[in-house]
Amino acid sequence: MSASSVTVLVGGEAGQGLVTVGDFLAKALVRAGYEILVVQDYLSRIRGGHNTYCVRVSPDPVHAPPENVDLLVALDQASLALHGPLLSPGGLALAGEKTDLGGLPGLNVPYSRLCPRPVHENMAALGVLAGLLCLERSWLEGLITERFAAKGGDEAALNLKVFSDALDWTRESGASFACLPPPMRREKRLFLNGNEAIALGAMAAGVNFCSFYPMTPATSVAAALVAPGGRMGVLTEQAEDEIAAVNMALGASAAGARVLVPTSGGGFALMVEGVSLAGMIETPLTVVLAQRPGPATGLPTRTEQGDLNLVVHAGHGDFPRAVYAPGTPEQCFDLTFRAVNQAEKWQSPAFVLTDQYLADSYRAVAPFDLEALPPLDLPGLETPDPHGYERYALTENGVSPRLIPGFGEHLVVLDSDEHTPDGHITEDLGVRVRMVDKRLRKGRGLEADAVAPSLAGDAAPEVLLACWGSSLGACLEAAQTLRERGTSAAVLHFSQVWPLVPESFLPVLEGAGRAVMVEGNPSGQLAKLIRQETGFAFHGLVTRYDGLPFTAGYILARLGSPQGTSTVAGEEVSA
């Protein structure tokens, strides 16, 4: 078992209640004051298939998925075969009384004696986990009561009894497992995953319209907006397809709404013409793209960072855009707020690139400080010169005064064809050049507002791990391990990947002994983009595209001598 954290993995078939066990355990740990990181793995099936819910817990911050498993809750025989080899020294497997542990150290839990019905086996498993980890009974009993009280009848009492009996059985069994160290924190925090943080960031930014077509792993952004958003005046609309979703959002935006469109790679591919339309009619649009392995349907319930090129180059013609890539739920909140506001400020599309791992990964998150957020950029409603109003007036920074139709005598004209400053169609080629230049001038503003990459670790390190988006946590832990081994190391994280401002990161890259890009795609899309924009060539590239998130061990194993090699532009080289 790891000295600094404990990993609990619940495995079984979809429908066996493994998420219930994991959710109860993770929420109780957060309430108690622990740090957690949840990784969910599920197959692309409506029903059945092997799923896992993995909770890594520690009194100290944890940043990345674990390498091994300390407690394996096997709700079926397949879980033992698949995950048993990952058991750490001192680890235990928990299975039913009739299940063959196959030589693994563990417990056969008497579910048939503890549970009145098989449906309660997950609650018994929770009791066993509480006993082994020495959790206070009250942490979980409160949650169980909250969850089942709403169902009425004796459901809450029944589940409480199963939980309590299983906990008592575990303590009486004499099973040996190290108790969790006491938690370090006392303040209240949120139990939040990346997509829920995006939804909260959108609401904080004043989003009041969300149109979408369901697509894993983006759908939960819209789902998280439905109930709380509804109470705050957010209209969430499921469109008939992705093309309708993006154009519906553009219509709402033109009418003054602040809009959000969550989707995934395949859905976004259908939205590209709408993105071009947003660029041409200069109407704010924020798209959340939750990445999964492509192309086409790919691995729809797994993770990857393969859509950077798609987003940066989406659309025909040239128009500016901002692309953000959060690495934590906190950044999901902050950067979604920022994306919505930047789209409004510069009247250009903005994007938030997340992925399945971050979307489904729960953490303990401090409540967001809404008072510290900057003021919102809002469109105007009236003008003292309504008859002289020009929606696309030529301005120094490219941003034209934006008024909302229907709030005065002014006329707002939008046109997807090239248009004059007052919005009417034109084939005057001189006007065409002036309008293109006007739209592109907004790009300078987006560059000035760009979020600089963050540097964590040693200045001028021997090894610099560059990354973007959700690869942050694994890189931080890999760099920490390198420093513990005596190697100077740091992490350069790009939370905004477009536009790139070389002055904000090039000196750091050039000052490192060895700069290695870590990306969840096979070609190193950001590494190539940086080389295209700056000429800087990374010394190495660590990629992962098997549908799983990075771990520190995965990165370290590929960093090179003596563990192996890394790659540059697809070529094996000595690291």
Side-chain angles (χ1 to χ4, degrees):
M1 191 180 76
S2 167
S4 58
S5 66
V6 173
T7 297
V8 179
L9 187 143
V10 186
E13 288 191 9
Q16 282 192 290
L18 71 164
V19 174
T20 301
V21 180
D23 264 357
F24 272 118
L25 178 65
K27 285 180 180 177
L29 292 168
V30 171
R31 286 190 180 186
Y34 289 99
E35 305 288 348
I36 64 155
L37 187 144
V38 170
V39 182
Q40 298 190 64
D41 187 90
Y42 47 95
L43 300 184
S44 176
R45 299 182 188 179
I46 299 299
R47 188 173 184 178
H50 184 74
N51 295 358
T52 64
Y53 189 107
C54 180
V55 183
R56 185 181 177 197
V57 55
S58 172
D60 304 312
V62 288
H63 302 291
E67 304 290 333
N68 297 310
V69 176
D70 301 309
L71 288 173
L72 169 59
V73 181
L75 298 181
D76 61 3
Q77 188 73 50
S79 297
L80 293 169
L82 290 170
H83 312 295
L86 299 178
L87 268 184
S88 59
L92 292 177
L94 314 177
E97 65 267 52
K98 297 180 180 178
T99 304
D100 180 8
L101 290 172
L104 294 172
L107 296 174
N108 286 109
V109 182
Y111 288 125
S112 59
R113 177 161 61 86
L114 295 170
C115 306
R117 299 195 303 269
V119 72
H120 294 111
E121 288 183 2
N122 53 11
M123 202 50 57
L126 187 66
V128 176
L129 288 172
L132 293 172
L133 295 169
C134 309
L135 305 184
E136 288 187 21
R137 187 187 297 259
S138 61
W139 295 348
L140 285 149
E141 286 179 337
L143 281 171
I144 295 169
T145 302
E146 289 174 22
R147 173 72 68 88
F148 292 104
K151 293 181 179 293
D154 59 354
E155 202 58 34
L158 191 56
N159 280 278
L160 282 170
K161 184 177 186 312
V162 172
F163 166 78
S164 182
D165 288 349
L167 191 153
D168 292 340
W169 172 84
T170 307
R171 291 176 174 169
E172 293 165 3
S173 71
S176 176
F177 191 80
C179 295
L180 273 178
M184 307 290 288
R185 307 176 71 110
R186 290 291 179 266
E187 69 272 23
K188 288 185 178 180
R189 291 170 300 161
L190 306 172
F191 177 72
L192 208 62
N193 67 29
N195 274 5
E196 291 169 342
I198 285 172
L200 290 177
M203 285 188 282
V207 165
N208 53 12
F209 184 82
C210 170
S211 51
F212 74 107
Y213 185 77
M215 195 168 187
T216 303
T219 306
S220 55
V221 174
L225 278 171
V226 171
R231 294 192 292 271
M232 296 177 63
V234 181
L235 175 61
T236 304
E237 177 74 14
Q238 179 179 329
E240 63 267 34
D241 57 36
E242 288 88 350
I243 298 172
V246 70
N247 287 307
M248 195 178 286
L250 285 173
S253 182
R258 292 169 80 89
V259 303
L260 189 78
V261 181
T263 187
S264 295
F268 183 71
L270 295 170
M271 296 180 179
V272 169
E273 188 172 8
V275 173
S276 296
L277 179 60
M280 179 56 118
I281 63 176
E282 303 185 47
T283 298
L285 172 71
T286 302
V287 176
V288 174
L289 197 163
Q291 300 168 99
R292 66 191 211 187
T297 309
L299 296 172
T301 60
R302 304 304 174 99
T303 199
E304 197 166 285
Q305 294 179 296
D307 294 335
L308 174 60
N309 284 340
L310 173 64
V311 168
V312 168
H313 301 294
H316 44 288
D318 291 310
F319 53 92
R321 69 196 69 192
V323 184
Y324 301 94
T328 64
E330 290 88 346
Q331 288 187 356
C332 285
F333 178 90
D334 292 337
L335 293 175
T336 302
F337 177 92
R338 188 179 186 84
V340 173
N341 229 18
Q342 287 285 288
E344 295 280 340
K345 179 179 180 181
W346 298 105
Q347 299 175 24
S348 284
F351 305 89
V352 178
L353 271 176
T354 181
D355 54 54
Q356 181 270 327
Y357 159 60
L358 183 57
D360 293 329
S361 179
Y362 284 93
R363 323 279 176 97
V365 178
F368 302 110
D369 184 0
L370 301 182
E371 300 297 326
L373 295 173
L376 302 177
D377 276 282
L378 299 171
L381 299 178
E382 294 179 338
T383 174
D385 180 21
H387 299 295
Y389 174 66
E390 292 182 328
R391 174 64 188 92
Y392 301 114
L394 299 172
T395 61
E396 187 175 347
N397 66 1
V399 177
S400 306
R402 178 171 172 245
L403 296 182
I404 302 305
F407 283 84
E409 297 180 28
H410 58 270
L411 178 66
V412 181
V413 180
L414 308 177
D415 201 317
S416 66
D417 286 64
E418 193 55 273
H419 39 252
T420 56
D422 63 0
H424 290 93
I425 186 172
T426 183
E427 294 202 25
D428 183 322
L429 304 186
V431 172
R432 159 68 181 176
V433 171
R434 289 193 288 277
M435 294 307 292
V436 169
D437 291 344
K438 168 195 131 53
R439 291 192 289 266
L440 292 182
R441 282 199 292 275
K442 295 189 288 186
R444 295 201 295 267
L446 285 167
E447 289 180 6
D449 283 353
V451 181
S454 61
L455 179 66
D458 303 323
E462 181 180 342
V463 176
L464 177 69
L465 300 177
C467 61
W468 58 281
S470 69
S471 303
L472 171 63
C475 287
L476 288 173
E477 293 198 352
Q480 178 62 32
T481 300
L482 288 173
R483 287 193 290 272
E484 290 169 357
R485 294 175 181 174
T487 300
S488 171
V491 175
L492 185 67
H493 179 248
F494 290 76
S495 60
Q496 182 167 354
V497 289
W498 192 264
L500 293 170
V501 182
E503 306 83 63
S504 69
F505 60 85
L506 203 51
V508 179
L509 294 177
E510 293 173 338
R514 187 157 59 103
V516 179
M517 176 61 82
V518 179
E519 291 193 58
N521 61 66
S523 61
Q525 294 184 14
L526 183 59
K528 289 183 176 178
L529 197 56
I530 289 174
R531 185 166 189 174
Q532 168 193 305
E533 295 296 309
T534 69
F536 181 85
F538 282 87
H539 306 109
L541 177 64
V542 174
T543 63
R544 184 160 202 175
Y545 44 96
D546 58 1
L548 299 176
F550 278 108
T551 65
Y554 182 96
I555 296 170
L556 291 167
R558 287 157 179 79
L559 271 181
S561 179
Q563 292 93 346
T565 60
S566 57
T567 59
V568 176
E571 298 178 5
E572 287 282 319
V573 298
S574 297

